[in-house]
Amino acid sequence: MTDELHQAKRPMSAALAGPYGHPFHPILVTVPIGAWVASLVFDVASQFVSTPGFLAMGSVWLIGIGVVGALLAAMVGLLDLLTIPRGTAAFRTGLVHMGLNLAVTVAYVVGFFWRQNSYGQADAVALGPLLLSAVSLAALAVSGYLGGKLAYHYGVRVADESTQAAGYRR
């Protein structure tokens, strides 16, 4: 294993980013992903029910929870990114992944404040904020694909093959 690959598998700080072979970033990203998917479901559902206000209000809360979760995941993800040697394909992929995630988070912050004008009203979610959420979620899916490429293709923060092989010995 090259020194660069070995470096990308080891945490910068095990206490902050998770121990070798078990990074915290993948578990933390489930919070914003789940919250933002659920918020879009609430947005769409608000278009079809007789009392959409509760769903619209729930969507605002879910967006806020997702933003807080995204900021936590971003801090830990940055630590993982800094373990990747600069000038490599993995590092460039990590930069695009991070840039997309930051853009998505900013879009959800914008959506959160855009919805504040109608917060507490009994109306369904307006088309503009609903479309912003849908586009943001699509961008998040692209970023998630890149995050998967970092882990599954490039092996960033994944245990090396000799460590993995121990799980298959009888």
Side-chain angles (χ1 to χ4, degrees), residues 36 56-68 104-119 129 132-133:
W36 292 338
M57 189 177 355
S59 183
V60 171
W61 276 93
L62 286 164
I63 288 170
I65 290 166
V67 168
V68 171
V104 166
T105 303
V106 167
Y108 274 106
V109 168
V110 167
F112 180 85
F113 287 108
W114 190 355
R115 294 161 187 255
Q116 294 307 305
N117 294 338
S118 60
Y119 186 76
L132 178 62
S133 288

Side-chain angles (χ1 to χ4, degrees), residues 44-76:
V44 172
S46 78
Q47 307 299 313
F48 299 102
V49 298
S50 59
T51 55
F54 290 112
L55 291 171
M57 189 177 355
S59 183
V60 171
W61 276 93
L62 286 164
I63 288 170
I65 290 166
V67 168
V68 171
L71 294 175
L72 291 171
M75 289 187 289
V76 175

